[in-house]
Amino acid sequence: MNDNGFVLWESRAIMRYLIDKYAENNELYPRNVNERAKIDQLMDFDIGTLYKFEGLFLQPLFVGKPTNSEDETKFRNSLKLLDLFVSDKKFVTSDTLTIADISIIASLSFAEACEFDFTEYVNVAKWMKRVKESIACFDEINKTAMRNFTLFMRERKNSNQLTV
């Protein structure tokens, strides 16, 4: 991102920056230190655990190789944690949508494109639906890209007869 000469990369840092600069104390990333700490914690969980293990598990599909069962177990274990996080509230940190939800739903888009079955993770599946419905332009922003990505990943899996 280039904001008038200030260059920043990494989506999570960009989200924090944009809210701090242009929408201070927005409910997506409120000023309250305790609320921010929870949001930051879940964003760190996303990049350091959930997305990390999702990537290790699904990355081989890009090059037409089978997935690794050990990596799958790690990804599934991280989904179990996420399932617990959203078991008693609407969103990952509270009953309010935050940038942590946006970050995590973006991460899980990779698994969705690979047609990963989330039904085992009942709370995660409900949360994903809720997040998508809570972001006003989610489909408009995501639909075409996800369809194309899913078709690409399906083609990679089918050409090598792989399953997820």
Side-chain angles (χ1 to χ4, degrees), residues 5-70:
F6 178 70
V7 176
L8 188 64
W9 52 271
E10 174 49 53
S11 62
R12 292 153 190 86
I14 291 169
M15 286 191 287
R16 291 177 183 118
Y17 168 81
L18 289 173
I19 288 176
D20 281 344
K21 184 160 184 183
Y22 296 106
E24 189 176 340
N25 203 29
N26 186 290
E27 67 181 16
L28 288 171
Y29 195 53
R31 297 297 299 148
N32 178 286
V33 173
N34 292 349
E35 291 174 26
R36 276 196 173 198
K38 286 300 211 180
I39 293 166
D40 291 341
Q41 176 185 13
L42 269 292
M43 290 176 75
D44 290 348
F45 164 77
D46 176 29
I47 192 67
T49 303
L50 183 66
Y51 187 67
K52 173 185 174 182
F53 293 136
E54 176 187 34
L56 289 172
F57 168 48
L58 297 173
Q59 196 73 28
L61 296 176
F62 273 109
V63 292
K65 293 185 178 179
T67 58
N68 175 295
S69 63
E70 184 178 315

Side-chain angles (χ1 to χ4, degrees), residues 112-164:
E112 279 188 297
C114 295
E115 300 177 300
F116 181 83
D117 184 4
F118 287 95
T119 55
E120 176 182 340
Y121 311 94
V122 175
N123 298 317
V124 170
K126 289 177 185 175
W127 167 84
M128 290 173 74
K129 183 178 186 306
R130 192 176 307 119
V131 170
K132 291 175 186 180
E133 291 171 349
S134 297
I135 300 172
C137 54
F138 187 85
D139 279 341
E140 180 183 333
I141 294 168
N142 211 35
K143 192 173 189 173
T144 301
M146 276 300 293
R147 185 184 67 240
N148 292 340
F149 191 34
T150 299
L151 291 173
F152 170 79
M153 292 308 295
R154 190 178 294 158
E155 182 180 298
R156 300 297 293 166
K157 288 189 300 186
N158 289 342
S159 68
N160 295 288
Q161 299 178 349
L162 302 172
T163 58
V164 178

Side-chain angles (χ1 to χ4, degrees), residues 27 35 85-98 101 127 130 134:
E27 67 181 16
E35 291 174 26
F85 298 154
V86 295
S87 66
D88 63 347
K89 52 195 160 301
K90 290 171 118 175
F91 299 102
V92 292
T93 63
S94 66
D95 286 335
T96 304
L97 180 77
T98 69
D101 296 285
W127 167 84
R130 192 176 307 119
S134 297

